[in-house]
Amino acid sequence: MIVDCAIYREGQRSEGPLDFSDALDEARSAGGFVWIGLHEPSADEFDLVAQEFGLHPLAVEDALKAHQRPKLEVYDDSLFVVLKPVVYEPRSDTVSSGEIMIFLGDSFAVSVRHGEGSPLALVRDRLEREPGLLGEGATSVLYAVADAVVDHYLEVATELQTDLEELEAEVFTPDDAGSRRTASRIYGFKRQILEFRRATGPLALPMARLAGVDTYGGRVPFVEDRARPFFRDVHDHLTRVNESVEGLDRLVSDILSAHLAQVGVGQNDDMRKISAWAALAVVPTMIAGIYGMNFEHMPELGWKWSYPVVIGLTVVLEVLLYGTFKRRGWL
């Protein structure tokens, strides 16, 4: 559905006509731009917008179907940018992502949002309180949305860092009963990192192009050159986020390796204990087996003290073995 439609002249908002074509003509004649915001539009709703603003059909298809990776595509009459805002749910310690598509062209900006995360009303309010920034034209919309999305990445990265510290404490706190639960949490956390990485990693190249710091360094159509410093700031923040995500991914892999090593050590300890008790059981079993063979000529059978000597010898050997295993930490 259409959430908002307004014309901006010299950093000031005015309500646009109901007809998109009239709104665009009015914005161009006044040297301003029109910004239309949509939330999960239907095909019929978006078809009207696409026709009025001359949006490329491939970009329109992407905007309707969503499920796109972050990217920047340049068409003849517009610029198409896909951003993936993320939402952190503290109760379940999960990361989910939505999508924001922005069409930028001659005196217009069209934003299409999918998902409940990162509503653009706050971005619009912020821009309307900064007429100097809003006066830069439609490029300011792309910058403000990208800046809000990337700044929220930093907040999510901080939350994930806190969760990782809690996970580290759980892994390195001895708790045999919780080892299976811990492994499940580590795997779940790694999935959250992967979801976060899908949103932040592919965005690096589009931000570098907008900032003019990529290998090509060419001008991006419909983006003013004087806006590059703003996008460089967003690119710097995104670089910090990606470095943080890389660090989180490495740490969680190290934690998983440490957990598996602890499980292996615990299993070795169990095997040593089982082996030690088995060795203690061997001595009486062996002696009882010897005297249970029922041979006729066994001199000890006729000796008066044979029984107490054998029992005493068994006890002494058991005590010696027990003491040896205890000193070596096997019991």
Side-chain angles (χ1 to χ4, degrees):
M1 63 178 180
I2 299 174
V3 178
D4 201 350
C5 175
I7 295 175
Y8 296 91
R9 306 180 185 90
E10 298 180 354
Q12 300 299 321
R13 174 190 174 110
S14 62
E15 298 302 322
L18 296 178
D19 185 87
F20 295 145
S21 181
D22 293 341
L24 184 58
D25 291 339
E26 183 178 337
R28 286 173 176 170
S29 63
F33 70 95
V34 59
W35 180 6
I36 299 175
L38 302 99
H39 178 234
E40 297 181 355
S42 65
D44 292 336
E45 289 175 332
F46 200 62
D47 184 59
L48 178 60
V49 177
Q51 290 179 2
E52 293 293 346
F53 291 95
L55 305 181
H56 196 280
L58 291 178
V60 170
E61 182 181 359
D62 289 344
L64 286 174
K65 292 184 177 180
H67 303 295
Q68 303 295 315
R69 70 195 302 269
K71 61 182 179 179
L72 183 153
E73 294 181 351
V74 179
Y75 297 101
D76 292 337
D77 299 323
S78 63
L79 183 71
F80 181 58
V81 180
V82 178
L83 305 169
K84 292 183 74 70
V86 296
V87 177
Y88 175 79
E89 178 53 55
R91 293 183 179 179
S92 58
D93 295 336
T94 57
V95 174
S96 59
S97 61
E99 288 186 42
I100 296 176
M101 288 83 166
I102 298 177
F103 295 87
L104 209 63
D106 181 16
S107 301
F108 72 85
V110 177
S111 58
V112 183
R113 182 167 60 89
H114 290 268
E116 298 300 324
S118 188
L120 296 182
L122 298 177
V123 177
R124 191 183 288 263
D125 290 342
R126 171 200 165 190
L127 271 177
E128 292 176 357
R129 290 195 302 269
E130 299 182 26
L133 179 60
L134 196 57
E136 296 294 331
T139 305
S140 63
V141 175
L142 177 58
Y143 159 70
V145 174
D147 185 54
V149 169
V150 173
D151 282 349
H152 192 61
Y153 286 165
L154 291 169
E155 297 175 9
V156 173
T158 301
E159 295 288 349
L160 290 175
Q161 181 65 44
T162 301
D163 287 348
L164 182 62
E165 292 172 358
E166 295 175 357
L167 193 58
E168 282 180 322
E170 181 177 333
V171 167
F172 293 105
T173 299
D175 183 9
D176 295 337
S179 61
R180 184 172 299 178
R181 182 183 68 251
T182 300
S184 177
R185 281 199 62 193
I186 295 174
Y187 179 74
F189 189 84
K190 198 164 183 65
R191 287 184 63 89
Q192 305 313 314
I193 295 295
L194 178 60
E195 181 70 21
F196 193 23
R197 200 171 187 174
R198 286 172 178 166
T200 64
L203 188 57
L205 182 57
M207 284 297 109
R209 289 187 64 189
L210 291 170
V213 296
D214 65 328
T215 55
Y216 302 102
R219 180 180 180 275
V220 178
F222 308 108
V223 175
E224 300 293 337
D225 289 339
R226 60 178 179 271
R228 284 189 172 186
F230 296 97
F231 287 108
R232 277 199 294 268
D233 181 66
V234 177
H235 180 262
D236 290 342
H237 290 177
L238 181 63
T239 300
R240 287 173 50 196
V241 171
N242 282 325
E243 289 174 351
S244 178
V245 173
E246 290 288 342
L248 289 171
D249 189 53
R250 286 195 299 269
L251 282 174
V252 76
S253 297
D254 292 342
I255 289 174
L256 179 59
S257 298
H259 176 67
L260 294 177
Q262 284 185 329
V263 171
V265 170
Q267 290 176 343
N268 289 337
D269 289 341
D270 293 339
M271 289 302 299
R272 283 201 299 265
K273 290 178 181 179
I274 293 172
S275 300
W277 286 112
L280 289 173
V282 163
V283 172
T285 301
M286 181 185 66
I287 295 176
I290 291 174
Y291 288 99
M293 290 186 293
N294 296 321
F295 289 137
E296 182 177 352
H297 301 289
M298 295 184 70
E300 300 86 12
L301 296 179
W303 186 37
K304 179 180 179 180
W305 300 100
S306 59
Y307 179 75
V309 168
V310 170
I311 295 299
L313 178 62
T314 302
V315 171
V316 169
L317 291 175
E318 290 290 287
V319 170
L320 290 175
L321 284 175
Y322 182 84
T324 301
F325 292 145
K326 194 72 173 176
R327 284 194 304 272
R328 294 185 177 182
W330 287 33
L331 290 176

